[in-house]
């Protein structure tokens, strides 16, 4: 079998060819005893040449410099035939095949070209030693590949040429590795038989434990029993980093970044850009000395913040270094209109005081008249105890709602005295129900649990919320369908109706503390947040609506066309979904309504691969 020999960092693929250097003395002797033939000049009028002086003489033997040059050329040809190699891969152990184990999840994408270069070097070494090659990957295949029962993560025996083509076609997946599936495959009897004995195993690891250190250790132990195991890991400074998106309900665009190994203080830059790639902001996040987390805040005006479509770590090409931004992170403009007269003289009695404080941390709030606010661009308008709306304003509001706006009305003495058609349900004439009145409760009424099909589903009730007065809805066949919140006795407290692409919502109590203490509770803030979020112009069933995949992130963090076999998700499920082959990271929904699923969903920390068995060469 051909071997590889060498001195230090220089080796030769065909070392026996160097034996030809022994004939160099023979070449030297031949060049000496056989000088070049004399130069002959044939010219008829010889007599004319008798007196000519020769300016060029033919040497009697080959010049030394020419002989050395020719010998050097001959030696270089011999060395070239021997196949010199500089810093080659170490010689493989055993006499079995070469098993290449590759972590190809998103955590391996940042230095993917270096991984491919290392793999090709190992394949070249196996080719020189005429070894068969087996390639195993840890990331699951795409959903379309798994539809017919899945593909084994381990290939069959391949030649070096086949393995080289296989490796060059590999790309990192945008989801995490699944080492448990590979462990199951290498423990199978069929795999053991196909591999034989004395295998040489090279594991190109991403350097992380994948969230389950026990599985990683078991896999390393199993591979070590197959033969000699070598582990290839990047320098800790180059291990994958993960960018965590800001909280959707937070008034600040606060970012967080994770790393796996506590190292020295390191600055990292992140970039915020629009959907067309235009750079909006560049923010520096600093890892403190020994810290695993870095945090910072993007300070942008509302108009620019609402244009952000993508935030990414600068210089790191991986799906985990990208955060896609959808409408959940936007600060929507909200207009407030009051029918009262205490806006400045008695702020605590104002219809807008509590509304403004509940909405301001998360939205851009502006007061004004109906006509003035409709001249601007607002996601939602809130009318606090406004009775009858003027006909011109009412018609303008109806057109605005039909185009996707959300109009929220709060009850009060003026609305109870007389109301127009801009209400989602018919109201009982003559007012409502009051504590101590003709239609009274024995005691203030608490909230009932929000229904599963309500936009408020999942919100905490706030055990101390009590309603003392409300306007009542007339009984109707569709009243249940239009009710979003009820009191403990079943009386509707919040009703709503879709109109065109928008919504008309009515709170049957006041926006201040006059009729209830709802406005003093945290539940009030969360209810308003859910309602303003409807301003995207989607149906009320959006939380339960199936959202197909529009675009997906590839392993390098680039948006590409979504795979046809990606499984749709509901808007509610995206908040808790974890990326996988059937749910790749990316954008889900339609042109009007989009939700982003990011790699960071469900990932709380990154941990380095540690605690492996002894005897593994790194």
């Amino acid at each position: 079998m051909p071997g590889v020999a060498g001195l230090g960092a220089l080796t030769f693929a065909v070392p026996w060819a160097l034996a030809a250097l022994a004939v160099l003395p023979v070449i030297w002797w031949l060049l000496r005893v056989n000088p070049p033939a004399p130069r002959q000049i044939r010219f008829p009028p010889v007599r004319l040449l008798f007196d000519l002086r020769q300016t060029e003489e033919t040497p009697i033997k080959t010049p030394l410099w020419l002989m050395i040059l020719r010998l050097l050329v001959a030696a270089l040809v011999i060395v070239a035939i021997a196949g010199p190699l500089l810093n080659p891969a170490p010689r493989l152990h055993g006499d079995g095949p070469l098993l290449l184990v590759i972590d190809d999840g998103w955590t391996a994408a940042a230095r993917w070209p270096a991984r491919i270069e290392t793999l090709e070097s190992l394949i070249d070494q196996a080719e020189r030693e005429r070894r068969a090659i087996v390639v195993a990957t840890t990331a699951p295949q795409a959903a379309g590949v798994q539809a017919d029962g899945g593909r084994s993560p381990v290939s069959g025996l391949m030649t070096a040429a086949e393995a080289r083509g296989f490796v060059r076609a590999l790309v990192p997946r945008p989801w995490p590795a699944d080492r448990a599936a590979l462990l199951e495959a290498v423990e199978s009897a069929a795999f053991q038989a196909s591999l034989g004995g004395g295998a040489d195993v090279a594991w190109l690891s991403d350097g992380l434990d994948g969230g389950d250190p026990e599985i990683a250790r078991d896999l390393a132990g199993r591979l070590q029993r197959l033969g000699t195991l070598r582990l290839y890991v990047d320098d800790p400074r180059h291990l994958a980093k993960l960018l965590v998106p800001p909280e959707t309900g937070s008034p600040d665009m606060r970012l967080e970044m994770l790393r796996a190994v506590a190292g020295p203080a390191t600055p990292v830059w992140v970039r915020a850009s629009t959907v067309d790639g235009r750079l909006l902001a560049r923010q520096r996040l600093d890892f403190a000395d020994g810290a695993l987390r870095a945090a910072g805040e993007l300070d942008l005006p509302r108009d620019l913040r609402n244009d952000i479509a993508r935030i990414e770590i600068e210089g790191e090409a991986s799906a985990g270094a990208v955060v896609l931004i959808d409408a959940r992170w936007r600060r929507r403009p909200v207009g407030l209109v009051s029918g009262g007269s205490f806006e400045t003289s008695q702020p605590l009695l104002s219809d807008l005081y509590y509304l403004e404080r509940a909405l301001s941390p998360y939205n851009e709030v502006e007061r004004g008249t109906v006509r003035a606010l409709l001249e601007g661009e607002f996601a939602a308008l809130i009318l606090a105890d406004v009775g009858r709306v003027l006909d011109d304003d009412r018609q303008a509001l109806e057109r605005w709602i039909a185009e996707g706006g959300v109009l929220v009305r709060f009850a009060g003495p003026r609305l109870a005295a007389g109301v127009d058609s801009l209400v989602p349900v018919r109201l009982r004439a003559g007012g409502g129900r009051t504590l101590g009145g003709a239609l009274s409760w024995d005691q203030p009424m608490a909230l009932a649990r929000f229904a599963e099909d309500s936009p408020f589903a999942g919100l905490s009730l706030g055990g101390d919320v009590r309603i003392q007065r409300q306007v009542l809805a007339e009984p109707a066949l569709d009243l249940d369908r239009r009710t979003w919140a009820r009191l403990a006795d079943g009386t509707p407290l919040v009703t709503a109706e879709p109109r065109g692409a928008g919504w008309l919502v009515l709170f049957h109590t006041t926006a201040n503390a006059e009729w209830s203490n709802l406005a003093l509770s945290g539940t009030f803030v969360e209810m308003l947040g859910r309602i303003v979020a409807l301003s995207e112009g989607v149906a009320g069933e959006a939380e339960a609506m199936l959202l197909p995949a529009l675009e997906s992130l590839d392993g390098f963090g680039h948006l590409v066309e979504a795979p046809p076999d990606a499984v749709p998700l509901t808007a509610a499920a995206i908040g808790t979904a974890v990326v996988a082959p059937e749910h790749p990271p990316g954008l889900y929904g339609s042109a009007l309504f989009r939700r982003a699923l990011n790699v960071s969903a469900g990932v709380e920390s990154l941990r380095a691969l540690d605690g492996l068995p002894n005897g593994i060469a790194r």
Side-chain angles (χ1 to χ4, degrees), residues 353-422:
Y353 179 82
Y354 300 101
L355 284 172
E356 197 164 34
R357 276 150 184 77
L359 292 167
S360 294
Y362 314 105
N363 304 275
E364 300 295 330
V365 179
E366 184 175 335
R367 298 188 184 192
T369 64
V370 171
R371 182 165 300 180
L373 293 175
L374 286 178
E375 291 178 356
E377 294 184 357
F378 287 88
L381 293 180
I382 300 179
L383 308 185
D385 193 19
V386 175
R388 293 186 178 274
V389 180
L390 297 176
D391 287 343
D392 291 344
D393 290 345
R394 179 178 53 80
Q395 293 173 5
L397 282 171
E398 288 175 344
R399 290 192 299 271
W400 177 78
I401 296 171
E403 293 173 356
V406 174
L407 178 64
V408 184
R409 302 192 70 172
F410 281 85
R414 284 170 290 279
L415 186 141
V419 71
D420 49 62
S421 60
L422 276 177

Side-chain angles (χ1 to χ4, degrees), residues 385-552:
D385 193 19
V386 175
R388 293 186 178 274
V389 180
L390 297 176
D391 287 343
D392 291 344
D393 290 345
R394 179 178 53 80
Q395 293 173 5
L397 282 171
E398 288 175 344
R399 290 192 299 271
W400 177 78
I401 296 171
E403 293 173 356
V406 174
L407 178 64
V408 184
R409 302 192 70 172
F410 281 85
R414 284 170 290 279
L415 186 141
V419 71
D420 49 62
S421 60
L422 276 177
V423 288
V425 295
R426 290 183 60 190
L427 300 179
R428 178 172 295 182
R433 185 163 62 167
T434 308
L435 183 68
L439 296 172
S440 66
W441 297 289
D442 294 332
Q443 56 184 3
M445 192 63 63
L447 293 176
R449 183 181 181 86
F450 298 118
E452 292 297 328
D453 58 350
S454 168
F456 308 139
L459 295 183
S460 60
L461 294 179
D464 56 348
V465 173
R466 293 294 183 269
I467 310 299
Q468 296 178 321
R469 185 175 178 182
Q470 66 170 152
V471 293
L472 288 174
E474 287 282 6
L477 294 176
D478 59 351
L479 182 58
D480 285 345
R481 180 173 58 83
R482 299 188 182 193
T483 300
W484 283 2
R486 301 176 183 274
L487 298 180
D489 65 350
T491 308
L493 179 66
V494 181
T495 55
E497 177 189 22
R499 293 194 177 182
W503 280 94
L504 178 58
V505 184
L506 173 64
F507 279 74
H508 290 239
T509 189
T510 56
N512 57 19
E514 185 177 355
W515 286 12
S516 73
N517 64 351
L518 175 64
L520 307 178
S521 69
T523 303
F524 185 67
V525 177
E526 294 178 325
M527 293 172 73
L528 289 176
R530 293 283 182 93
I531 293 174
V532 173
L534 294 174
S535 61
E536 299 164 85
V538 298
E541 293 79 12
E543 293 297 308
M545 182 173 60
L546 280 178
L547 306 179
L550 294 177
E551 295 179 288
S552 297

Side-chain angles (χ1 to χ4, degrees), residues 276-301:
D276 59 358
R278 180 166 48 91
L279 180 65
L280 293 177
R282 188 169 177 262
Q283 178 65 45
R284 172 172 158 171
L285 304 184
D286 290 298
F287 284 103
D289 188 14
L292 297 176
R293 295 174 181 263
E297 182 180 330
L298 280 176
D299 187 13
L300 289 172

